[in-house]
Amino acid sequence: MLSKNKIKYIRSLELKKNRREEHAFLAEGNKLVNDLINHFSCQLLIATKEWLQSHPHLQAAEIIEVTHEELSRASLLKTPQEVLAVFEQPHYEFDANVTEQSLCLALDDVQDPGNLGTIIRIADWFGIEHIFCSSGTADVYNPKTIQATMGAIARVKLHYCNLPDFLKSASQKNTPIFGTFLDGENIYTQELPANGIIIMGNEGNGISKQIAEMVTHRILIPNYPQGCETSESLNVAVATAIVCAEFRRRTAWSSSL
């Protein structure tokens, strides 16, 4: 039986301050829990009898069998699934030198948890393993972010840092720093390297002035047909997908020559 204290604890993880204090995060649903359980230490797993019978070898510090009604009382989802789990937040070593050998993302105050989760999923798809985030960027362990990653959080590492200092250090090593701007150069006509940093900005304000000053390559995702009236901007996650796809396409094309 699931106690009231356990339900209170699980639901408390909706708040950032509680996640920080407990150093934990919540994941719900069969696919997500299965994707994460081999990558993060599972502190608590609650699931229906049927789900537990079909997953007999999963490891967790505590496993509680529950009814669908009990699960719904603990779940943060409108339509609860058969399982939810509480995982320990991982600790990643901060290695600024990774930008010299690979393509990385930097997020300048991306505030919507859903956008952040989708960007993590996009990064995973395009083989980007590191994302560097400003302190104003949404919390990666927000339940909405975790759900939106669809398990990609198991393979993509997020580092929260003083973003201006991080970019300044990278520029001193001649690491190319890209940012999207309406006055940038057409991304489809620019040389795009296999390593560097791609900055994506805030949903409403774009890349901040302080961060923009550190960009070495200003790029533009052109609308079509050019010169016609269109939407003012693209969603930040959509823009991230377009930019990452073009970087990877160019790298694949270059390596085939």
PDB file of all heavy atoms in Angstrom, residues 103 126 186-190 192-193 198 219 221 239-253:
ATOM      1  N   LEU A 103      30.503  19.206 -31.250  1.00  0.00           N
ATOM      2  CA  LEU A 103      29.478  20.237 -31.384  1.00  0.00           C
ATOM      3  C   LEU A 103      28.628  20.248 -30.114  1.00  0.00           C
ATOM      4  O   LEU A 103      28.169  19.204 -29.650  1.00  0.00           O
ATOM      5  CB  LEU A 103      28.597  19.936 -32.599  1.00  0.00           C
ATOM      6  CG  LEU A 103      27.636  21.042 -33.050  1.00  0.00           C
ATOM      7  CD1 LEU A 103      28.415  22.272 -33.519  1.00  0.00           C
ATOM      8  CD2 LEU A 103      26.734  20.527 -34.164  1.00  0.00           C
ATOM      9  N   PHE A 126      20.776  14.246 -32.874  1.00  0.00           N
ATOM     10  CA  PHE A 126      21.886  14.688 -33.714  1.00  0.00           C
ATOM     11  C   PHE A 126      23.256  14.457 -33.070  1.00  0.00           C
ATOM     12  O   PHE A 126      24.258  15.023 -33.514  1.00  0.00           O
ATOM     13  CB  PHE A 126      21.711  16.164 -34.081  1.00  0.00           C
ATOM     14  CG  PHE A 126      20.595  16.394 -35.074  1.00  0.00           C
ATOM     15  CD1 PHE A 126      19.408  16.993 -34.688  1.00  0.00           C
ATOM     16  CD2 PHE A 126      20.731  15.975 -36.395  1.00  0.00           C
ATOM     17  CE1 PHE A 126      18.379  17.186 -35.590  1.00  0.00           C
ATOM     18  CE2 PHE A 126      19.703  16.171 -37.304  1.00  0.00           C
ATOM     19  CZ  PHE A 126      18.519  16.767 -36.909  1.00  0.00           C
ATOM     20  N   ASN A 186      22.991  33.742 -44.158  1.00  0.00           N
ATOM     21  CA  ASN A 186      22.215  32.547 -44.501  1.00  0.00           C
ATOM     22  C   ASN A 186      22.962  31.275 -44.081  1.00  0.00           C
ATOM     23  O   ASN A 186      24.078  31.030 -44.530  1.00  0.00           O
ATOM     24  CB  ASN A 186      21.953  32.541 -46.012  1.00  0.00           C
ATOM     25  CG  ASN A 186      20.971  31.466 -46.418  1.00  0.00           C
ATOM     26  OD1 ASN A 186      20.903  30.387 -45.834  1.00  0.00           O
ATOM     27  ND2 ASN A 186      20.203  31.760 -47.464  1.00  0.00           N
ATOM     28  N   ILE A 187      22.362  30.472 -43.225  1.00  0.00           N
ATOM     29  CA  ILE A 187      23.029  29.275 -42.726  1.00  0.00           C
ATOM     30  C   ILE A 187      23.383  28.304 -43.844  1.00  0.00           C
ATOM     31  O   ILE A 187      24.359  27.551 -43.750  1.00  0.00           O
ATOM     32  CB  ILE A 187      22.150  28.562 -41.660  1.00  0.00           C
ATOM     33  CG1 ILE A 187      22.920  27.412 -40.998  1.00  0.00           C
ATOM     34  CG2 ILE A 187      20.836  28.083 -42.266  1.00  0.00           C
ATOM     35  CD1 ILE A 187      22.191  26.770 -39.839  1.00  0.00           C
ATOM     36  N   TYR A 188      22.612  28.326 -44.935  1.00  0.00           N
ATOM     37  CA  TYR A 188      22.822  27.367 -46.013  1.00  0.00           C
ATOM     38  C   TYR A 188      23.978  27.742 -46.930  1.00  0.00           C
ATOM     39  O   TYR A 188      24.358  26.956 -47.794  1.00  0.00           O
ATOM     40  CB  TYR A 188      21.529  27.207 -46.822  1.00  0.00           C
ATOM     41  CG  TYR A 188      20.365  26.758 -45.957  1.00  0.00           C
ATOM     42  CD1 TYR A 188      19.249  27.568 -45.776  1.00  0.00           C
ATOM     43  CD2 TYR A 188      20.397  25.534 -45.292  1.00  0.00           C
ATOM     44  CE1 TYR A 188      18.200  27.173 -44.968  1.00  0.00           C
ATOM     45  CE2 TYR A 188      19.348  25.128 -44.482  1.00  0.00           C
ATOM     46  CZ  TYR A 188      18.248  25.948 -44.327  1.00  0.00           C
ATOM     47  OH  TYR A 188      17.210  25.549 -43.518  1.00  0.00           O
ATOM     48  N   THR A 189      24.543  28.926 -46.724  1.00  0.00           N
ATOM     49  CA  THR A 189      25.683  29.346 -47.551  1.00  0.00           C
ATOM     50  C   THR A 189      26.964  29.512 -46.732  1.00  0.00           C
ATOM     51  O   THR A 189      27.990  29.913 -47.267  1.00  0.00           O
ATOM     52  CB  THR A 189      25.371  30.677 -48.266  1.00  0.00           C
ATOM     53  OG1 THR A 189      25.149  31.699 -47.280  1.00  0.00           O
ATOM     54  CG2 THR A 189      24.140  30.547 -49.156  1.00  0.00           C
ATOM     55  N   GLN A 190      26.897  29.199 -45.421  1.00  0.00           N
ATOM     56  CA  GLN A 190      28.050  29.383 -44.548  1.00  0.00           C
ATOM     57  C   GLN A 190      28.827  28.075 -44.359  1.00  0.00           C
ATOM     58  O   GLN A 190      28.263  26.987 -44.463  1.00  0.00           O
ATOM     59  CB  GLN A 190      27.599  29.878 -43.174  1.00  0.00           C
ATOM     60  CG  GLN A 190      26.851  31.193 -43.212  1.00  0.00           C
ATOM     61  CD  GLN A 190      27.663  32.295 -43.876  1.00  0.00           C
ATOM     62  OE1 GLN A 190      28.744  32.628 -43.407  1.00  0.00           O
ATOM     63  NE2 GLN A 190      27.140  32.829 -44.965  1.00  0.00           N
ATOM     64  N   LEU A 192      30.243  25.414 -42.057  1.00  0.00           N
ATOM     65  CA  LEU A 192      29.843  24.957 -40.730  1.00  0.00           C
ATOM     66  C   LEU A 192      30.777  23.829 -40.285  1.00  0.00           C
ATOM     67  O   LEU A 192      30.841  22.791 -40.929  1.00  0.00           O
ATOM     68  CB  LEU A 192      28.395  24.456 -40.749  1.00  0.00           C
ATOM     69  CG  LEU A 192      27.342  25.467 -41.229  1.00  0.00           C
ATOM     70  CD1 LEU A 192      25.966  24.827 -41.253  1.00  0.00           C
ATOM     71  CD2 LEU A 192      27.341  26.715 -40.348  1.00  0.00           C
ATOM     72  N   PRO A 193      31.490  24.017 -39.183  1.00  0.00           N
ATOM     73  CA  PRO A 193      32.461  23.022 -38.732  1.00  0.00           C
ATOM     74  C   PRO A 193      31.815  21.873 -37.956  1.00  0.00           C
ATOM     75  O   PRO A 193      30.633  21.923 -37.609  1.00  0.00           O
ATOM     76  CB  PRO A 193      33.376  23.841 -37.818  1.00  0.00           C
ATOM     77  CG  PRO A 193      32.444  24.852 -37.212  1.00  0.00           C
ATOM     78  CD  PRO A 193      31.478  25.217 -38.316  1.00  0.00           C
ATOM     79  N   ILE A 198      26.692  26.190 -30.498  1.00  0.00           N
ATOM     80  CA  ILE A 198      25.506  26.813 -31.091  1.00  0.00           C
ATOM     81  C   ILE A 198      24.671  27.381 -29.948  1.00  0.00           C
ATOM     82  O   ILE A 198      24.233  26.643 -29.066  1.00  0.00           O
ATOM     83  CB  ILE A 198      24.663  25.799 -31.881  1.00  0.00           C
ATOM     84  CG1 ILE A 198      25.484  25.135 -32.982  1.00  0.00           C
ATOM     85  CG2 ILE A 198      23.430  26.479 -32.464  1.00  0.00           C
ATOM     86  CD1 ILE A 198      24.787  23.933 -33.616  1.00  0.00           C
ATOM     87  N   ILE A 219      24.302  33.663 -37.744  1.00  0.00           N
ATOM     88  CA  ILE A 219      23.646  32.938 -38.824  1.00  0.00           C
ATOM     89  C   ILE A 219      22.146  33.222 -38.838  1.00  0.00           C
ATOM     90  O   ILE A 219      21.566  33.651 -37.837  1.00  0.00           O
ATOM     91  CB  ILE A 219      23.896  31.418 -38.726  1.00  0.00           C
ATOM     92  CG1 ILE A 219      23.471  30.883 -37.346  1.00  0.00           C
ATOM     93  CG2 ILE A 219      25.361  31.083 -39.008  1.00  0.00           C
ATOM     94  CD1 ILE A 219      23.631  29.397 -37.181  1.00  0.00           C
ATOM     95  N   ILE A 221      18.328  31.602 -40.264  1.00  0.00           N
ATOM     96  CA  ILE A 221      17.487  30.603 -40.922  1.00  0.00           C
ATOM     97  C   ILE A 221      16.538  31.376 -41.824  1.00  0.00           C
ATOM     98  O   ILE A 221      15.615  32.042 -41.331  1.00  0.00           O
ATOM     99  CB  ILE A 221      16.690  29.767 -39.906  1.00  0.00           C
ATOM    100  CG1 ILE A 221      17.621  29.061 -38.927  1.00  0.00           C
ATOM    101  CG2 ILE A 221      15.815  28.746 -40.644  1.00  0.00           C
ATOM    102  CD1 ILE A 221      16.884  28.377 -37.781  1.00  0.00           C
ATOM    103  N   ALA A 239      13.753  25.895 -34.243  1.00  0.00           N
ATOM    104  CA  ALA A 239      14.970  26.514 -34.770  1.00  0.00           C
ATOM    105  C   ALA A 239      16.200  25.665 -34.440  1.00  0.00           C
ATOM    106  O   ALA A 239      17.105  25.506 -35.274  1.00  0.00           O
ATOM    107  CB  ALA A 239      15.130  27.922 -34.211  1.00  0.00           C
ATOM    108  N   THR A 240      16.242  25.106 -33.242  1.00  0.00           N
ATOM    109  CA  THR A 240      17.361  24.253 -32.854  1.00  0.00           C
ATOM    110  C   THR A 240      17.455  23.042 -33.765  1.00  0.00           C
ATOM    111  O   THR A 240      18.554  22.659 -34.202  1.00  0.00           O
ATOM    112  CB  THR A 240      17.196  23.781 -31.389  1.00  0.00           C
ATOM    113  OG1 THR A 240      17.124  24.916 -30.528  1.00  0.00           O
ATOM    114  CG2 THR A 240      18.361  22.902 -30.965  1.00  0.00           C
ATOM    115  N   ALA A 241      16.324  22.448 -34.080  1.00  0.00           N
ATOM    116  CA  ALA A 241      16.307  21.271 -34.952  1.00  0.00           C
ATOM    117  C   ALA A 241      16.832  21.613 -36.342  1.00  0.00           C
ATOM    118  O   ALA A 241      17.631  20.859 -36.926  1.00  0.00           O
ATOM    119  CB  ALA A 241      14.892  20.709 -35.038  1.00  0.00           C
ATOM    120  N   ILE A 242      16.420  22.751 -36.883  1.00  0.00           N
ATOM    121  CA  ILE A 242      16.856  23.155 -38.217  1.00  0.00           C
ATOM    122  C   ILE A 242      18.361  23.395 -38.245  1.00  0.00           C
ATOM    123  O   ILE A 242      19.071  22.926 -39.145  1.00  0.00           O
ATOM    124  CB  ILE A 242      16.098  24.421 -38.675  1.00  0.00           C
ATOM    125  CG1 ILE A 242      14.606  24.098 -38.870  1.00  0.00           C
ATOM    126  CG2 ILE A 242      16.689  24.984 -39.956  1.00  0.00           C
ATOM    127  CD1 ILE A 242      13.746  25.323 -39.092  1.00  0.00           C
ATOM    128  N   VAL A 243      18.857  24.113 -37.237  1.00  0.00           N
ATOM    129  CA  VAL A 243      20.284  24.441 -37.187  1.00  0.00           C
ATOM    130  C   VAL A 243      21.120  23.171 -37.006  1.00  0.00           C
ATOM    131  O   VAL A 243      22.111  22.958 -37.716  1.00  0.00           O
ATOM    132  CB  VAL A 243      20.567  25.458 -36.059  1.00  0.00           C
ATOM    133  CG1 VAL A 243      22.069  25.641 -35.885  1.00  0.00           C
ATOM    134  CG2 VAL A 243      19.910  26.798 -36.368  1.00  0.00           C
ATOM    135  N   CYS A 244      20.739  22.326 -36.081  1.00  0.00           N
ATOM    136  CA  CYS A 244      21.502  21.096 -35.837  1.00  0.00           C
ATOM    137  C   CYS A 244      21.496  20.188 -37.066  1.00  0.00           C
ATOM    138  O   CYS A 244      22.521  19.569 -37.398  1.00  0.00           O
ATOM    139  CB  CYS A 244      20.937  20.351 -34.639  1.00  0.00           C
ATOM    140  SG  CYS A 244      21.228  21.167 -33.049  1.00  0.00           S
ATOM    141  N   ALA A 245      20.359  20.113 -37.734  1.00  0.00           N
ATOM    142  CA  ALA A 245      20.269  19.279 -38.933  1.00  0.00           C
ATOM    143  C   ALA A 245      21.216  19.771 -40.012  1.00  0.00           C
ATOM    144  O   ALA A 245      21.875  18.969 -40.692  1.00  0.00           O
ATOM    145  CB  ALA A 245      18.831  19.266 -39.447  1.00  0.00           C
ATOM    146  N   GLU A 246      21.316  21.079 -40.182  1.00  0.00           N
ATOM    147  CA  GLU A 246      22.198  21.614 -41.213  1.00  0.00           C
ATOM    148  C   GLU A 246      23.663  21.411 -40.855  1.00  0.00           C
ATOM    149  O   GLU A 246      24.483  21.085 -41.732  1.00  0.00           O
ATOM    150  CB  GLU A 246      21.911  23.095 -41.443  1.00  0.00           C
ATOM    151  CG  GLU A 246      22.722  23.725 -42.571  1.00  0.00           C
ATOM    152  CD  GLU A 246      22.516  23.067 -43.930  1.00  0.00           C
ATOM    153  OE1 GLU A 246      21.521  22.331 -44.111  1.00  0.00           O
ATOM    154  OE2 GLU A 246      23.360  23.300 -44.825  1.00  0.00           O
ATOM    155  N   PHE A 247      24.016  21.580 -39.590  1.00  0.00           N
ATOM    156  CA  PHE A 247      25.396  21.307 -39.172  1.00  0.00           C
ATOM    157  C   PHE A 247      25.754  19.855 -39.449  1.00  0.00           C
ATOM    158  O   PHE A 247      26.826  19.564 -39.995  1.00  0.00           O
ATOM    159  CB  PHE A 247      25.573  21.603 -37.673  1.00  0.00           C
ATOM    160  CG  PHE A 247      26.043  22.994 -37.371  1.00  0.00           C
ATOM    161  CD1 PHE A 247      25.154  24.063 -37.331  1.00  0.00           C
ATOM    162  CD2 PHE A 247      27.388  23.238 -37.123  1.00  0.00           C
ATOM    163  CE1 PHE A 247      25.585  25.345 -37.039  1.00  0.00           C
ATOM    164  CE2 PHE A 247      27.836  24.522 -36.831  1.00  0.00           C
ATOM    165  CZ  PHE A 247      26.933  25.583 -36.792  1.00  0.00           C
ATOM    166  N   ARG A 248      24.890  18.933 -39.087  1.00  0.00           N
ATOM    167  CA  ARG A 248      25.181  17.516 -39.272  1.00  0.00           C
ATOM    168  C   ARG A 248      25.161  17.131 -40.751  1.00  0.00           C
ATOM    169  O   ARG A 248      25.957  16.301 -41.190  1.00  0.00           O
ATOM    170  CB  ARG A 248      24.185  16.666 -38.484  1.00  0.00           C
ATOM    171  CG  ARG A 248      24.359  16.746 -36.971  1.00  0.00           C
ATOM    172  CD  ARG A 248      25.807  16.593 -36.545  1.00  0.00           C
ATOM    173  NE  ARG A 248      25.936  16.312 -35.112  1.00  0.00           N
ATOM    174  CZ  ARG A 248      27.050  16.473 -34.439  1.00  0.00           C
ATOM    175  NH1 ARG A 248      28.137  16.936 -35.028  1.00  0.00           N
ATOM    176  NH2 ARG A 248      27.109  16.175 -33.154  1.00  0.00           N
ATOM    177  N   ARG A 249      24.260  17.710 -41.516  1.00  0.00           N
ATOM    178  CA  ARG A 249      24.228  17.422 -42.953  1.00  0.00           C
ATOM    179  C   ARG A 249      25.525  17.854 -43.621  1.00  0.00           C
ATOM    180  O   ARG A 249      26.102  17.128 -44.437  1.00  0.00           O
ATOM    181  CB  ARG A 249      23.053  18.152 -43.614  1.00  0.00           C
ATOM    182  CG  ARG A 249      22.863  17.818 -45.103  1.00  0.00           C
ATOM    183  CD  ARG A 249      21.859  18.750 -45.742  1.00  0.00           C
ATOM    184  NE  ARG A 249      22.411  20.081 -45.898  1.00  0.00           N
ATOM    185  CZ  ARG A 249      23.181  20.461 -46.937  1.00  0.00           C
ATOM    186  NH1 ARG A 249      23.520  19.599 -47.880  1.00  0.00           N
ATOM    187  NH2 ARG A 249      23.622  21.701 -47.015  1.00  0.00           N
ATOM    188  N   ARG A 250      26.008  19.027 -43.228  1.00  0.00           N
ATOM    189  CA  ARG A 250      27.239  19.550 -43.818  1.00  0.00           C
ATOM    190  C   ARG A 250      28.433  18.689 -43.442  1.00  0.00           C
ATOM    191  O   ARG A 250      29.299  18.419 -44.265  1.00  0.00           O
ATOM    192  CB  ARG A 250      27.457  20.989 -43.353  1.00  0.00           C
ATOM    193  CG  ARG A 250      28.313  21.812 -44.282  1.00  0.00           C
ATOM    194  CD  ARG A 250      27.550  22.174 -45.562  1.00  0.00           C
ATOM    195  NE  ARG A 250      26.409  22.999 -45.252  1.00  0.00           N
ATOM    196  CZ  ARG A 250      26.487  24.332 -45.066  1.00  0.00           C
ATOM    197  NH1 ARG A 250      27.654  24.944 -45.123  1.00  0.00           N
ATOM    198  NH2 ARG A 250      25.401  25.025 -44.822  1.00  0.00           N
ATOM    199  N   THR A 251      28.484  18.245 -42.170  1.00  0.00           N
ATOM    200  CA  THR A 251      29.572  17.387 -41.726  1.00  0.00           C
ATOM    201  C   THR A 251      29.560  16.054 -42.460  1.00  0.00           C
ATOM    202  O   THR A 251      30.599  15.559 -42.894  1.00  0.00           O
ATOM    203  CB  THR A 251      29.480  17.152 -40.211  1.00  0.00           C
ATOM    204  OG1 THR A 251      29.524  18.413 -39.527  1.00  0.00           O
ATOM    205  CG2 THR A 251      30.644  16.283 -39.730  1.00  0.00           C
ATOM    206  N   ALA A 252      28.372  15.476 -42.633  1.00  0.00           N
ATOM    207  CA  ALA A 252      28.242  14.205 -43.333  1.00  0.00           C
ATOM    208  C   ALA A 252      28.646  14.353 -44.793  1.00  0.00           C
ATOM    209  O   ALA A 252      29.310  13.478 -45.371  1.00  0.00           O
ATOM    210  CB  ALA A 252      26.806  13.693 -43.226  1.00  0.00           C
ATOM    211  N   TRP A 253      28.286  15.487 -45.394  1.00  0.00           N
ATOM    212  CA  TRP A 253      28.622  15.731 -46.798  1.00  0.00           C
ATOM    213  C   TRP A 253      30.143  15.875 -46.949  1.00  0.00           C
ATOM    214  O   TRP A 253      30.762  15.324 -47.859  1.00  0.00           O
ATOM    215  CB  TRP A 253      27.926  16.990 -47.285  1.00  0.00           C
ATOM    216  CG  TRP A 253      28.244  17.342 -48.710  1.00  0.00           C
ATOM    217  CD1 TRP A 253      27.713  16.787 -49.851  1.00  0.00           C
ATOM    218  CD2 TRP A 253      29.176  18.332 -49.157  1.00  0.00           C
ATOM    219  NE1 TRP A 253      28.260  17.379 -50.965  1.00  0.00           N
ATOM    220  CE2 TRP A 253      29.164  18.333 -50.563  1.00  0.00           C
ATOM    221  CE3 TRP A 253      30.020  19.226 -48.482  1.00  0.00           C
ATOM    222  CZ2 TRP A 253      29.959  19.186 -51.311  1.00  0.00           C
ATOM    223  CZ3 TRP A 253      30.802  20.078 -49.250  1.00  0.00           C
ATOM    224  CH2 TRP A 253      30.782  20.048 -50.651  1.00  0.00           C
TER     225      TRP A 253
END
